[in-house]
Amino acid sequence: MQDFKTKYGPWALVAGASEGLGAAFAEALAKRGLNLILLARRREKLEALAAGLRVRFSVSIRCHALDLADQVQIKTFVAQLEPDVGLLVYNAAYAPIGYFEHIPVDELLKIVDVNIKAPLLLSKLLSTRMLQKQRGGIVLMSSLAGTQGSPKIATYAASKAFNTILAEGLWKELQRHGIDVVASCAGAIRTPGYQQAITTKEAPGTLHPLQVAEQTLNALGRGPTVVPGLTNKIARFLMGRLLPRKLAISIMDNNTKDLS
Ligand SMILES: NC(=O)c1ccc[n+]([C@@H]2O[C@H](COP(=O)([O-])OP(=O)(O)OC[C@H]3O[C@@H](n4cnc5c(N)ncnc54)[C@H](OP(=O)(O)O)[C@@H]3O)[C@@H](O)[C@H]2O)c1
């Protein structure tokens, strides 16, 4: 715990922290003694989360309401950011469900803004600061959906593939500067977003958000990607390595057809 705080503290920034996995990352980091900067659009949810974590873990927490689809807001926020941020966790995502023909173009572009441009921008701006100190960490939340083409969530899945591949490249580049990067390729997680999307029972291997947060943070410095959960590790091996690509895409097609 102390090593983690020394390496990635004293402040961690969690982008997309108001509920679900982002709130779990905040809890797991507070438990490790890091001070927190929490970002999301709903300030009241952030403040409620922060109030509980301050009492339980005696850490400092600052909340900022910000739309991560807006690069100007992100740049302004980082320019005014004083605390020494040693860890970025980019967790937010926009994931409209529907076939490509039915998703309006503005929503498709918002996926690119929230899931690609914002993590890229925050990784760039905050790693510049980390480079000066020659230490730090970056966690990019990705998904098993990004292992292969995924009908009904095609653009979201492609955005997650971007995050995985970006993290792999940065893992190698930044390693020599003492900065650890990891992409967390998660399977199903019991978050409000996931529970709203499913119409049938949970996928096999669905994890609690705290399990994903802990396994992801534990993986920092150990390699470019982590797949939380044994079932998900097997699924990724099958879908990404063993099965013919056409078959993997067809399996995803079957898995996503009941999402709404
Ligand atoms: N849930 C799963 O089954 C699953 C599976 C694989 C991977 N993942 C990945 O895990 C991450 C978290 O998933 P989740 O299910 O917890 O997501 P979620 O329930 O949709 O929560 C996303 C968080 O991001 C924030 N957010 C979304 N859009 C934002 C924006 N434009 N500006 C600022 N904040 C924004 C939300 O807060 P506000 O609404 O308050 O802004 C919320 O705190 C995502 O990257 C997702 O791709 C999830």
Side-chain angles (χ1 to χ4, degrees), residues 15-22 39-42 45 66-69 90-94 110 114 141-144 156 160 186-194:
S18 61
E19 66 182 14
L21 182 59
L39 308 182
R41 290 163 299 184
R42 289 170 293 172
K45 284 194 82 89
L66 184 150
D67 187 350
L68 290 160
Y90 194 90
N91 171 75
Y94 183 53
K110 188 173 160 184
V114 178
M141 267 321 293
S142 186
S143 169
L144 289 185
Y156 164 81
K160 291 293 155 181
I189 313 166
R190 212 165 287 119
T191 64
Y194 175 69

Side-chain angles (χ1 to χ4, degrees), residues 21 25 89-93 115 119 139-148 156-168 182-189 212 216 224-228 236:
L21 182 59
F25 270 118
V89 177
Y90 194 90
N91 171 75
N115 302 6
V139 173
L140 299 180
M141 267 321 293
S142 186
S143 169
L144 289 185
T147 308
Q148 67 295 298
Y156 164 81
S159 77
K160 291 293 155 181
F162 174 89
N163 278 269
T164 304
I165 299 300
L166 176 67
E168 286 183 350
V182 71
S184 179
C185 304
I189 313 166
V212 177
T216 299
T225 54
V226 58
V227 181
R236 188 168 195 239

Side-chain angles (χ1 to χ4, degrees), residues 7-161:
K7 176 111 213 244
Y8 305 116
W11 289 81
L13 186 152
V14 183
S18 61
E19 66 182 14
L21 182 59
F25 270 118
E27 179 173 339
L29 289 165
K31 194 171 155 195
R32 290 167 194 235
L34 275 77
N35 299 320
L36 300 174
I37 298 160
L38 305 180
L39 308 182
R41 290 163 299 184
R42 289 170 293 172
R43 176 186 288 279
E44 62 293 350
K45 284 194 82 89
L46 291 177
E47 293 290 0
L49 171 69
L53 295 179
R54 283 188 197 105
V55 171
R56 287 172 65 198
F57 301 108
S58 301
V59 293
S60 298
I61 306 180
R62 300 183 186 182
C63 301
H64 295 269
L66 184 150
D67 187 350
L68 290 160
D70 183 342
Q71 289 104 54
V72 176
Q73 282 189 41
I74 295 173
K75 285 182 187 164
T76 307
F77 165 74
V78 174
Q80 294 167 353
L81 189 65
E82 288 161 22
D84 179 3
V85 174
L87 182 66
L88 162 67
V89 177
Y90 194 90
N91 171 75
Y94 183 53
I97 294 162
Y99 293 109
F100 196 63
E101 63 184 293
H102 297 137
I103 302 183
V105 71
D106 285 351
E107 290 199 36
L108 294 174
L109 294 176
K110 188 173 160 184
I111 299 173
V112 175
D113 287 334
V114 178
N115 302 6
I116 294 181
K117 287 189 181 177
L120 182 66
L121 187 54
L122 280 170
S123 296
K124 173 66 181 167
L125 297 176
L126 295 178
S127 69
T128 302
R129 295 177 177 207
M130 292 172 195
L131 281 166
Q132 289 166 6
K133 298 176 294 176
Q134 295 283 295
R135 67 171 181 86
I138 297 173
V139 173
L140 299 180
M141 267 321 293
S142 186
S143 169
L144 289 185
T147 308
Q148 67 295 298
S150 300
K152 218 172 174 183
I153 48 170
T155 312
Y156 164 81
S159 77
K160 291 293 155 181

